[in-house]
Amino acid sequence: QVQLVESGGGLVQPGGSLRLSCAASGMTIIYNLYDMGWFRQPPGKQRELVASITSDGSTSYVDSVKGRFIISRESAKNTVYLQMNSLKPEDSAVYYCATKLRWTATFNDWGQGTQVTVSS
């Protein structure tokens, strides 16, 4: 299985920036088999996919974060990042990193979640 360890959550002011990191272990030898993603779950709402990245670098974003968030991965460190800029209160949520095999439809392995709060 894949183990995911997140870091970087916290409290920021509107308009500020934050970078989330997720270190993945247990898949370095077969790195090209996995896609990575970031999800978030605001209070009282369902969890949604925010951004994803494939092993070849292709990215996708939910409309609400396009132009503000950037997902990237660093294969040497086996780490995926979510750079969040121009943060809004609506971005406040528990953020999760996740991974899946390239040929599957769903993300199967999840991090513990990290709280992001955007508030004055």
Side-chain angles (χ1 to χ4, degrees):
Q1 74 277 21
V2 176
Q3 295 82 44
L4 304 173
V5 180
E6 302 177 0
S7 62
L11 174 65
V12 297
Q13 293 183 328
S17 297
L18 198 65
R19 188 176 77 160
L20 305 182
S21 301
C22 181
S25 62
M27 70 178 201
T28 182
I29 303 298
I30 51 173
Y31 183 81
N32 290 338
L33 296 178
Y34 292 91
D35 298 336
M36 305 293 295
W38 285 97
F39 292 74
R40 68 184 181 187
Q41 187 168 24
K45 296 185 177 181
Q46 69 279 4
R47 185 156 57 188
E48 68 172 346
L49 177 63
V50 177
S52 63
I53 185 168
T54 67
S55 59
D56 64 4
S58 298
T59 60
S60 63
Y61 301 89
V62 68
D63 286 344
S64 60
V65 308
K66 287 181 179 177
R68 300 189 296 120
F69 290 10
I70 302 172
I71 187 172
S72 62
R73 67 193 301 171
E74 190 170 349
S75 60
K77 296 182 178 180
N78 217 20
T79 301
V80 63
Y81 304 96
L82 185 66
Q83 177 67 48
M84 303 183 293
N85 301 314
S86 301
L87 283 163
K88 305 175 181 179
E90 308 89 83
D91 296 318
S92 297
V94 178
Y95 282 72
Y96 302 86
C97 62
T99 186
K100 71 176 185 70
L101 291 167
R102 293 177 61 189
W103 54 85
T104 61
T106 60
F107 289 82
N108 299 311
D109 296 293
W110 298 80
Q112 78 285 357
T114 184
Q115 178 70 51
V116 173
T117 303
V118 185
S119 176
S120 300

